[in-house]
């Protein structure tokens, strides 16, 4: 890097250039060239390191190497299903299936694998199992401690070296993988370490292993007395200042980040005053120390405050990322807490009345997350939004008046003629043949058999206004002349031919008239009445040919 003394040495020769002394002019140009080469080298290094651009607020330690290819490859593990940690678990009470649904929705969208650690009802914890000094804790505090202790024990039962622990109301940025890739690169070149990285860390630990707890979702914080221990780096997915909580703005300023740098900078610093256990990572050695100090040796207060006490006492080592990558998703109603008593229906109704019209509770849509630039929970609503019918209209515009009427046929019929035109076309064909439209047929008391419907649809010239023989009488006639059924399957009436639809016997006409005696006769110009019957003297004999024609129609 170009120092102030280099610049002074280079520009100290400017007066000699004006004096015209050749030897000193040469010295000036040499110095100027040196300055130029130093600037070029600095620009080249900055360009090669632009993906993980970082600056040390107070350089106090060692291992300041650049981000090499090995570190980049290791940092890329943040794009896997566990963000580069050995496992991701989340704690949720069995009764909060609503929060569990949300967590698994987020995980499926962002390619994460989550393992559920069941939450614990503090009242169900046996008094003898409480740590020394924990008998005075409230049931909610006991349940929270026990659930986190179960998560630490779960890690020790496996073989992973690191684990990320979340609570079930966590929210994060949609670019979560990129955020943790940058964090990994910084942690591998951590300038706050007190010992150089081991060979194991260099080869297979994206976040190193020199810490016990890594805070990633604290709700408030304050810096340690050693404010010179801080490593700041550029993160373009850091939350803007307008949506950042004042706790973290003050924390950044106390560590030396001011002005426009707030909103695009994150800082890694030694953990000292973090509150809440919304999101944090632990190493294997960290899980051992937490179980030792917060269970085996005793517990005097809530688990997050007890962890803070152990950090300040120096019993465990932690790093804190400010502002945190995780934030609590808040609905601003009674569902935000698992410990407060359930409100009665009268209390809920009273709360709704007290709210302004614009601030009424509308569930997850109205939820908020501070310290998140692009909330994954809000983005999920857009990601899974579907406008099905609008998509159809956009891609396949509807054609008005071309709806196809498909008659429903009996599956037992072997030959069924399907109508392939529109309703308007059928009406026009009926009018050309001198028939009434389909909707004008008034005899709705009888349902035509499938063969009759097929014959009508295949032969539009047939008199559709004529009465159709009832199904019972047709069955009787079929039994009298079984051979006529086979003939009717292939019968087609040509335009102008007489059909037997209007030649039913007296019995058929009497039944039809009884069922339609309250209905008025409808006629069309130039056509006979639909209900017109034959004189009784013409109905004395019904031949087999008439039966066959009747069935054919």
């Amino acid at each position: 890097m170009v120092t102030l003394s280099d610049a002074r040495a280079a520009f100290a020769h400017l007066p000699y250039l004006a004096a015209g002394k050749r030897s000193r002019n040469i010295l000036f140009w040499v110095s100027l060239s040196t300055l130029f080469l130093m600037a070029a080298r600095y620009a080249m290094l900055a360009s090669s390191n632009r993906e993980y651009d970082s600056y040390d607020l107070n350089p106090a330690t060692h291992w300041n190497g650049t981000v090499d290819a090995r570190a980049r490859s290791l940092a890329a593990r943040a794009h896997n299903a566990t963000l580069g940690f050995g496992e991701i678990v989340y704690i949720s009470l069995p009764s909060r299936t609503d929060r569990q649904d949300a967590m698994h929705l987020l995980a499926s969208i962002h390619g994460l694998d989550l393992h559920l650690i069941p939450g614990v009802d503090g009242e169900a914890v046996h008094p003898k199992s409480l740590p020394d000094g924990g008998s005075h804790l409230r049931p909610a505090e006991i349940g929270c401690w026990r659930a986190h202790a179960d998560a630490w024990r779960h890690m020790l039962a496996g073989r992973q070296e690191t684990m990320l622990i979340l609570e079930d109301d966590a929210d994060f940025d949609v670019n979560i993988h990129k955020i943790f890739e940058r964090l990994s690169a910084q942690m591998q070149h951590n300038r706050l370490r007190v010992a150089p990285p081991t060979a194991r860390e260099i080869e297979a630990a994206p976040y190193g292993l020199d810490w016990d707890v890594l805070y990633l979702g604290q709700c408030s914080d304050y810096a340690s007395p050693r404010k010179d221990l801080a490593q700041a780096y550029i993160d373009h997915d850091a939350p803007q200042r307008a949506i950042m909580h004042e706790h973290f703005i003050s924390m950044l300023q106390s560590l030396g980040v001011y002005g426009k740098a707030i909103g695009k900078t994150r800082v890694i610093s030694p953990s000292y005053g973090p509150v809440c256990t919304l999101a944090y990572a632990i190493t294997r050695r960290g899980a051992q120390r937490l179980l030792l100090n917060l269970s085996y040796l005793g517990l005097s207060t809530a688990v997050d405050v007890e962890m803070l006490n152990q950090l300040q006492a120096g019993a465990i080592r932690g790093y804190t990322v400010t502002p945190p990558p995780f934030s609590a998703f808040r609905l601003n109603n009674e569902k935000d807490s698992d410990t407060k008593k359930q409100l009665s229906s009268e209390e809920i109704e009273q709360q709704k009345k007290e709210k302004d019209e614009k601030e009424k509770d509308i569930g997850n849509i109205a939820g908020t997350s501070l310290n998140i630039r692009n909330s994954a929970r809000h983005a999920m609503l857009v990601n899974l939004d579907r406008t099905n019918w609008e998509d159809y209209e956009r891609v396949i515009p509807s054609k008005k008046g071309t709806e196809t009427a498909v008659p429903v046929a009996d599956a037992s019929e072997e030959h069924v003629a399907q109508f392939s035109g529109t309703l308007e076309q059928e009406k026009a064909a009926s009018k050309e043949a001198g028939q009434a439209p389909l909707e004008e047929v008034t005899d709705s008391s009888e349902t035509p058999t499938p063969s009759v419907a097929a014959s009508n649809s295949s032969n539009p010239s047939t008199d559709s206004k004529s009465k159709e023989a009832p199904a019972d009488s047709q069955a009787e006639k079929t039994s009298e002349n079984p051979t006529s059924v086979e003939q009717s399957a292939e019968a087609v009436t040509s335009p102008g031919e007489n059909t037997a639809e209007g030649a039913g016997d007296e019995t058929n006409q009497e039944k039809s008239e009884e069922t339609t005696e309250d209905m008025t006769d409808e006629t069309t110009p130039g056509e006979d009445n639909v209900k017109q019957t034959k004189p009784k003297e013409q109905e004395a004999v019904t031949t087999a040919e008439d039966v066959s024609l009747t069935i054919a129609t």
Side-chain angles (χ1 to χ4, degrees):
M1 183 180 292
V2 180
T3 63
L4 184 60
S5 60
D6 294 331
R8 287 176 178 175
F11 287 97
H13 304 283
L14 287 176
Y16 297 104
L17 179 63
K21 295 183 179 180
R22 183 177 181 85
S23 61
R24 293 177 179 176
N25 286 344
I26 293 174
L27 183 60
F28 165 75
W29 287 112
V30 170
S31 301
L32 191 61
S33 299
T34 302
L35 179 64
F36 174 78
L37 291 174
M38 288 180 176
R41 178 176 176 274
Y42 177 78
M44 183 175 63
L45 289 175
S47 176
S48 65
N49 196 31
R50 64 181 180 274
E51 180 69 18
Y52 306 110
D53 188 13
S54 63
Y55 60 94
D56 197 2
L57 295 176
N58 297 290
T61 56
H62 25 281
W63 307 300
N64 294 332
T66 59
V67 180
D68 55 17
R70 177 203 54 77
R72 290 179 186 274
S73 176
L74 198 55
R77 294 192 186 184
H79 290 271
N80 67 14
T82 58
L83 296 176
F85 297 97
E87 187 179 10
I88 301 178
V89 301
Y90 77 100
I91 298 173
S92 179
L93 284 171
S95 60
R96 292 309 301 266
T97 55
D98 56 329
R99 290 186 172 184
Q100 295 161 25
D101 290 345
M103 291 297 290
H104 284 278
L105 268 173
L106 292 171
S108 65
I109 292 174
H110 295 278
L112 301 177
D113 287 342
L114 301 180
H115 176 79
L116 173 63
I117 300 293
V120 178
D121 181 1
E123 295 182 349
V125 177
H126 197 280
K128 290 184 178 180
S129 66
L130 293 177
D132 293 343
S135 58
H136 68 284
L137 297 179
R138 296 181 293 109
E141 295 173 333
I142 294 174
C144 183
W145 158 78
R146 185 63 258 169
H148 282 273
D150 288 345
W152 308 334
R153 197 170 64 182
H154 170 78
M155 181 181 184
L156 296 180
R159 302 182 63 86
Q160 59 268 29
E161 292 182 310
T162 59
M163 186 172 72
L164 175 60
I165 302 173
L166 306 175
E167 293 182 349
D168 59 1
D169 56 346
D171 192 11
F172 50 84
D173 195 281
V174 294
N175 295 321
I176 186 70
H177 293 280
K178 203 67 178 175
I179 291 173
F180 275 85
E181 184 179 1
R182 299 186 187 107
L183 176 61
S184 170
Q186 297 298 319
M187 293 290 288
Q188 290 180 69
H189 297 82
N190 188 359
R191 297 164 186 172
L192 313 180
R193 295 184 64 118
V194 297
T198 63
R200 175 63 182 170
E201 292 179 83
I202 294 174
E203 293 299 324
Y207 304 97
L209 297 173
D210 66 311
W211 45 272
D212 299 317
V213 183
L214 177 61
Y215 279 89
L216 302 166
Q218 63 277 15
C219 57
S220 64
D221 204 354
Y222 56 93
S224 70
R226 288 291 306 272
K227 294 183 174 58
D228 57 321
L229 300 177
Q231 178 173 328
Y233 63 98
I234 300 298
D235 187 348
H236 300 291
D237 294 306
Q240 306 94 318
R241 180 169 185 158
I243 61 173
M244 195 184 304
H245 198 283
E246 286 296 330
H247 291 309
F248 304 118
I249 295 177
S250 300
M251 178 85 167
L252 290 173
Q253 291 174 341
S254 68
L255 295 173
V257 180
Y258 300 96
K260 295 182 179 180
I262 298 177
K264 60 180 181 180
T265 304
R266 294 191 196 268
V267 177
I268 302 172
S269 60
S271 300
Y272 192 77
V275 180
C276 296
T277 52
L278 176 77
Y280 65 97
I282 57 175
T283 61
R284 193 170 189 83
R285 184 52 62 92
Q288 294 171 344
R289 289 192 172 105
L290 288 170
L291 269 179
L292 174 70
N293 291 288
L294 277 71
S295 181
Y296 186 78
L297 295 180
L299 182 72
S300 60
T301 184
V303 62
D304 59 333
V305 179
E306 188 64 33
M307 291 172 67
L308 180 152
N309 293 337
Q310 296 296 324
L311 287 167
Q312 294 182 356
I316 58 177
R317 177 184 297 156
Y319 291 134
T320 297
V321 179
T322 307
F326 290 92
S327 177
F329 186 73
R330 289 289 176 254
L331 302 178
N332 301 313
N333 58 29
E334 69 279 357
K335 295 178 70 174
D336 284 337
S337 175
D338 289 333
T339 59
K340 294 180 180 178
K341 69 180 183 68
Q342 180 68 30
L343 297 180
S344 65
S345 57
E346 293 78 10
E347 291 173 325
I348 295 175
E349 189 64 27
Q350 182 63 27
Q351 281 189 355
K352 290 183 178 180
K353 289 181 180 180
E354 293 174 355
K355 287 185 177 180
D356 184 77
E357 189 69 25
K358 295 182 180 179
E359 298 179 354
K360 282 188 176 180
D361 173 29
I362 53 176
N364 289 313
I365 298 177
T368 57
S369 297
L370 289 176
N371 314 308
I372 301 294
R373 180 180 287 268
N374 297 300
S375 166
R377 293 195 181 231
H378 290 165
M380 178 172 61
L381 303 178
V382 179
N383 186 289
L384 298 180
D385 184 41
R386 171 75 78 187
T387 56
N388 185 50
W389 301 114
E390 289 79 357
D391 292 342
Y392 274 123
E393 187 64 28
R394 175 175 52 84
V395 179
I396 311 174
S398 61
K399 299 177 181 179
K400 295 183 179 179
T402 61
E403 293 80 8
T404 302
V406 180
V408 179
D410 190 350
S412 64
E413 291 293 330
E414 296 181 358
H415 302 282
V416 179
Q418 300 290 338
F419 175 68
S420 59
T422 64
L423 185 60
E424 288 76 6
Q425 291 172 346
E426 184 180 9
K427 292 179 181 178
S430 299
K431 290 182 179 179
E432 290 178 1
Q435 300 172 356
L438 293 179
E439 63 268 26
E440 295 179 3
V441 178
T442 59
D443 189 6
S444 59
S445 62
E446 298 294 334
T447 302
T449 60
S451 61
V452 176
S455 177
N456 289 340
S457 62
S458 62
N459 187 4
S461 64
T462 304
D463 187 3
S464 60
K465 293 172 55 179
S466 300
K467 291 189 63 63
E468 299 164 355
D472 295 339
S473 65
Q474 289 187 18
E476 294 173 2
K477 294 175 183 178
T478 303
S479 64
E480 294 174 5
N481 191 1
T483 59
S484 62
V485 178
E486 299 176 359
Q487 298 173 3
S488 65
E490 299 176 359
V492 178
T493 305
S494 60
E497 287 187 18
N498 294 328
T499 63
E501 289 187 358
D505 56 16
E506 181 180 2
T507 303
N508 297 339
Q509 292 297 334
E510 290 176 358
K511 289 182 179 179
S512 177
E513 289 175 358
E514 288 175 3
T515 56
T516 59
E517 60 184 1
D518 294 335
M519 301 175 62
T520 60
D521 298 340
E522 295 183 8
T523 60
T524 56
E527 294 292 327
D528 294 332
N529 193 332
V530 175
K531 298 183 179 180
Q532 181 179 355
T533 60
K534 292 176 60 179
K536 293 183 179 180
E537 59 270 13
Q538 297 179 6
E539 301 174 355
V541 179
T542 301
T543 64
E545 182 180 357
D546 293 334
V547 174
S548 178
L549 290 173
T550 301
I551 295 175
T553 58

